[in-house]
Amino acid sequence: MKDIFVLIEHRRGEMRDVSVEMLCGAAKLGGTVVAVLLGKDVDAFAKKAAGYADKVLYVNDPLFENYNSEAYQKALSALVKEHGPGLVLIGNTAQGVDLAPALAVELGVPLVTDITALEMEGDKPKPTRTFYGGKLDAHFTMKDADLYILTVREATFTAEDPSKSGEIVKVDNPVTEDLSYRKFVEYVEPEVGEVDITQSTLLVGVGRGIREDKNMPVVEELAQALGADLAASRAVVDAGWLPADRQVGISGKTVKPKLYLAVGISGAFQHVTGMKGSEVIVAINKDPDAPIFGIADYGIVDDLFKVVPKLVEKIKELKGA
Amino acid sequence: MNMVVCVKRVPDTAESEVHIDASGKDIDKSRLSFGINECDNYAVEEAIQIKERLGEGTVTVISLGDKESDEVIRMALAKGGDEAIRLEDEAFKGGDGFAVAKALAAAIKGLEYDIVFTGALADDDGYAVVPAALAELLGVPHATYVKKVEILEPGKRAKVGRELEGGLMEFLEIDLPCVLGIQTGINEPRYASFKGIKQAAKKEIAIKSAADLGLDASEVGEAGSWAALEKFTPPVVGEMAEILEGEPEETAAKLAAILKEKGLV
C-alpha cells in the first residue's frame, strides 16, 4: 500500500485533537503513515506527531504562521506530487473544508468529505458519511484513482497513546508564488456575555423546535424553575433569540453540566459535539428519529409545548415540597 | 459590482422522519416540505445587502435542479435578485458537490462577476464542497464559513470573517473576483414583499442544459462525481435514551421524579 499523508492541523499554539485521531486511524489501515506539518516554529508539534507517525514531513516557514488555504493547497499539492501518497487525510474542520475541495480539484483526484467511518478495499477507500443532519448513514464507493482525499470528522478515529518514533524530515517550503490575493489579517475572540455557560451546573438547551421568539418564555420558565441557565443550538442563535455566547457546539462552546435538558433540539453532530460530555442528558423532541435520542439518557417523544409547561409545574411542586 | 448567488432547493428533514426508499439510495420525499437550503438563504440576503449598500450592481441567481427549483429562484428574485439561470438536464442527476460545482462553474464562466456566493454547506448532503471546488474551477480565490463581508474596494478587494471552531473568527483580505461560502447567522434574511413576489413571477428564468454549457454528460451528474452512493442505512446509534411513555402530564411527572432522584432538582 502507498503512503498515507495526514495533515496536522494547528492553530495559535495548539495542535488539534483530530490530527492525532487521524494518525492513529491511518496506522490501522496499513502502509506508511506520514504526518505533514506546515507551520512556523512548531517543532513541538513535529515531535508530538512523530510519536504517532512513521515519518513527519515538516515545512517551517513564516508563510504558514497562520492558515491560508492558498498556501496550504500549493504546498500540499507540491508535496503530494513529489512523494506520491495513495491517501491524504485532512480534518473536516473549518480549515479542512476550506482547503480539501480546492486541493482535490487541482490534483484531479476524488474527495469525500466529512467521513464518519472508513473501510479499505485494497488501496481504495469505502467511506461512510451522514446525510440529512445525521438521520442516515451513506456508504460510498470512490472512483478508481492513484490518490484519494478524505476529510475526517472529529472523533471518527480514536486517539491512542504514542507508540512510534517517526523520522522528522524538514523540507524546504515548495511555495514561492505571491499569495497576497488571500491574506490573513487577525483572529477575533467571541464576545463574553453575562453568563458563562461552560461554568453552568444545569443547562436547558433550546433548539429550532421552539419555532418563534415569542415562545422563548416556555423554556425560560423551565430554566428558572430548575435554576438552570439557557443554552442554544445554532438555529436559535442565528435567529437572534439568544446571544452568540449561549451557542453550544463545534462553532460555539463545549459544556459539561450535571444536567443538559435539550428541548426541541434535533442533535446534529455539530451541536452534540459541544454537549455530549454532560453528566445527564435529557431530550424532549417530537421527532422519534431525532439523533439527540441516541445520546440522551432519558427522552420524551412529544410536543415540547405540551410537555414543558407540565414539567415546570412538577418541578415547582417538588421544590415547594 | 456584479454578484452571483447559487441556491439549492432541499427537503426539510430537521423535524421530520426520514425513510429510505426502495432503491436504498434515496429517501421517500413525498411527505416532506421543500425550501431553500438554509445557508443559501443567508447568501442571497448578503448579496442583496451588498448591492443595496453600494447602490449599484446586479444579483444573478443560479440553481441546479428541476422545474420545482423555480420557487426557490423566484423567492430570491422577489427579495431583490435581478436575473436567474436554472441548470436542468437529466445528466446532472445524482451529482456530488464536485459534479455540481462543474456545472455551476460552466454557467458562471460566461458571466461578469465580482463575487460568487454559495451556502457553506447543504442541509441534505452536507458535502461543503461547492464553494472551494467552484473557486478552483473558476481560478479565483475563496473563503468558506464566511460570517462577515466588508467590501474594501468595489470590484477589487474585500475583508471577510470566517467562523472557526469555538466561536473564534478569522479575518482575511481577499481579492475579487472570489467565491464566498456563506455560513448561517451572517445577517437577517428578509421576507419577500408582496410587490416583489408579483414582479418576480414575471421574470424570465434562463434554462441551460449540459450541452448549452459545453459539458459532456460524462463530466456531470453521477458519472462526473468523485464517488458513488452505494446505499443509505439507518445510523448506528449507541444506547438509546430511556424513553418515558405516556401523556404529557405523566411524562413530565416521570422526568421530574428522575431529576429529583438524581439530585438535580
Side-chain angles (χ1 to χ4, degrees):
Chain A
M1 188 172 165
K2 288 199 271 185
D3 293 357
I4 303 169
F5 269 22
V6 175
L7 180 64
I8 303 302
E9 183 168 334
H10 58 90
R11 178 157 62 226
R12 299 208 296 179
E14 274 188 51
M15 191 164 129
R16 309 287 307 276
D17 293 344
V18 70
S19 308
V20 169
E21 291 166 11
M22 288 191 294
L23 289 170
C24 293
K28 296 212 165 83
L29 299 176
T32 303
V33 178
V34 181
V36 179
L37 175 62
L38 308 171
K40 178 181 174 271
D41 303 329
V42 285
D43 305 69
F45 300 156
K47 281 204 193 86
K48 185 173 177 186
Y52 303 90
D54 300 302
K55 188 171 161 183
V56 180
L57 281 181
Y58 172 24
V59 181
N60 178 33
D61 194 282
L63 183 64
F64 304 110
E65 184 169 7
N66 293 297
Y67 168 75
N68 175 344
S69 65
E70 304 284 340
Y72 265 65
Q73 184 185 331
K74 297 221 156 33
L76 275 174
S77 65
L79 291 173
V80 161
K81 282 171 192 160
E82 189 187 337
H83 296 269
L87 183 63
V88 176
L89 302 181
I90 297 174
N92 193 73
T93 56
Q95 177 176 312
V97 166
D98 200 53
L99 166 71
L103 178 68
V105 171
E106 183 192 336
L107 292 170
V109 302
L111 159 79
V112 172
T113 55
D114 196 18
I115 70 157
T116 54
L118 178 62
E119 277 180 47
M120 296 297 286
E121 205 167 62
D123 286 346
K124 192 166 168 172
K126 285 178 69 78
T128 300
R129 62 193 305 292
T130 68
F131 265 55
Y132 303 108
K135 290 198 171 180
L136 292 179
D137 281 349
H139 305 266
F140 281 90
T141 304
M142 297 185 77
K143 270 198 173 154
D144 290 329
D146 294 329
L147 166 67
Y148 301 92
I149 304 180
L150 300 171
T151 67
V152 181
R153 184 183 292 185
E154 285 176 70
T156 293
F157 302 117
T158 310
E160 287 160 20
D161 292 334
S163 60
K164 299 189 176 188
S165 49
E167 176 196 8
I168 298 173
V169 182
K170 271 202 182 185
V171 293
D172 290 337
N173 178 14
V175 187
T176 50
E177 298 157 68
D178 171 26
L179 301 175
S180 60
Y181 52 84
R182 175 171 162 151
K183 198 177 77 187
F184 173 85
V185 180
E186 62 175 339
Y187 289 117
V188 175
E189 296 277 357
E191 279 175 38
V192 182
E194 293 161 28
V195 177
D196 180 1
I197 55 170
T198 64
Q199 301 302 315
S200 302
T201 322
L202 306 172
L203 281 174
V204 171
V206 50
R208 196 183 290 271
I210 198 73
R211 303 211 170 279
E212 287 185 75
D213 198 6
K214 67 175 171 63
N215 295 329
M216 287 299 286
V218 175
V219 283
E220 281 164 12
E221 279 169 29
L222 175 60
Q224 203 168 19
L226 278 167
D229 293 318
L230 276 181
S233 73
R234 153 157 233 125
V236 167
V237 169
D238 283 348
W241 303 336
L242 275 177
D245 64 307
R246 301 295 183 104
Q247 187 176 324
V248 170
I250 289 178
S251 49
K253 293 189 173 162
T254 300
V255 296
K256 288 180 180 172
K258 286 195 168 139
L259 171 68
Y260 192 89
L261 210 173
V263 181
I265 287 178
S266 67
F269 88 95
Q270 290 94 337
H271 184 79
V272 166
T273 302
M275 49 67 83
K276 65 182 177 199
S278 307
E279 276 179 41
V280 177
I281 298 171
V282 179
I284 301 174
N285 199 305
K286 67 175 183 179
D287 174 8
D289 288 341
I292 191 80
F293 291 118
I295 64 137
D297 300 293
Y298 302 95
I300 295 176
V301 180
D302 209 333
D303 182 351
L304 76 93
F305 296 107
K306 289 183 185 151
V307 177
V308 173
K310 295 284 176 201
L311 184 58
V312 172
E313 275 176 34
K314 301 291 173 194
I315 289 166
K316 281 185 179 164
E317 278 173 30
L318 282 177
K319 285 205 164 174
Chain B
M1 287 226 309
N2 298 315
M3 287 163 285
V4 175
V5 192
C6 306
V7 298
K8 182 181 186 182
R9 179 179 180 266
V10 294
D12 179 6
T13 57
E15 290 181 62
S16 312
E17 291 182 39
V18 169
H19 299 283
I20 302 167
D21 75 4
S23 76
K25 294 183 178 191
D26 207 345
I27 58 166
D28 174 11
K29 292 174 181 148
S30 59
R31 285 157 66 192
L32 296 172
S33 61
F34 283 74
I36 188 169
N37 181 50
E38 196 181 8
C39 292
D40 301 356
N41 196 29
Y42 289 88
V44 167
E45 179 65 31
E46 196 60 23
I48 293 168
Q49 283 192 13
I50 288 172
K51 184 178 95 163
E52 288 171 349
R53 275 205 297 273
L54 297 176
E56 56 96 20
T58 59
V59 174
T60 302
V61 183
I62 299 189
S63 187
L64 186 152
D66 53 23
K67 181 106 183 65
E68 287 167 321
S69 297
D70 281 354
E71 63 171 306
V72 167
I73 295 174
R74 290 208 189 277
M75 196 49 73
L77 291 172
K79 291 177 177 187
D82 299 284
E83 287 174 27
I85 304 169
R86 185 160 57 78
L87 314 181
E88 183 180 16
D89 202 308
E90 272 300 305
F92 292 146
K93 296 242 161 102
D96 65 4
F98 177 47
V100 170
K102 280 188 276 189
L104 291 171
I108 294 166
K109 262 177 189 156
L111 306 174
E112 279 188 23
Y113 64 91
D114 298 289
I115 303 178
V116 177
F117 291 97
T118 73
L121 82 172
D123 299 336
D124 50 1
D125 57 47
Y127 285 132
V129 156
V130 168
L134 179 59
E136 185 67 24
L137 290 164
L138 291 171
V140 300
H142 72 272
T144 61
Y145 290 118
V146 171
K147 238 182 142 175
K148 182 121 186 123
V149 180
E150 185 191 341
I151 305 299
L152 298 175
E153 197 183 340
K156 292 273 198 277
R157 206 159 166 89
K159 184 176 172 184
V160 302
R162 298 185 62 230
E163 180 184 271
L164 308 179
E165 290 80 6
L168 188 69
M169 289 269 280
E170 172 198 8
F171 281 87
L172 53 101
E173 282 185 21
I174 191 165
D175 278 1
L176 308 186
C178 69
V179 178
L180 302 180
I182 300 296
Q183 177 61 291
T184 62
I186 185 175
N187 51 40
E188 276 184 54
R190 72 192 67 191
Y191 290 97
S193 66
F194 181 64
K195 191 177 150 208
I197 291 169
K198 271 180 72 180
Q199 283 173 345
K202 288 184 222 145
K203 281 191 182 159
E204 193 198 340
I205 298 173
I207 312 290
K208 306 241 177 170
S209 67
D212 292 337
L213 300 172
L215 291 167
D216 189 84
S218 66
E219 297 175 79
V220 291
E222 205 175 333
S225 291
W226 277 326
L229 173 64
E230 273 198 337
K231 62 175 178 193
F232 282 134
T233 56
V236 182
V237 285
E239 217 169 311
M240 281 295 286
E242 180 185 335
I243 301 294
L244 312 177
E245 308 277 355
E247 292 301 308
E249 179 88 34
E250 298 168 69
T251 54
K254 285 179 187 170
L255 178 53
I258 289 166
L259 297 180
K260 170 90 176 168
E261 184 198 311
K262 295 198 172 285
L264 297 165
V265 171

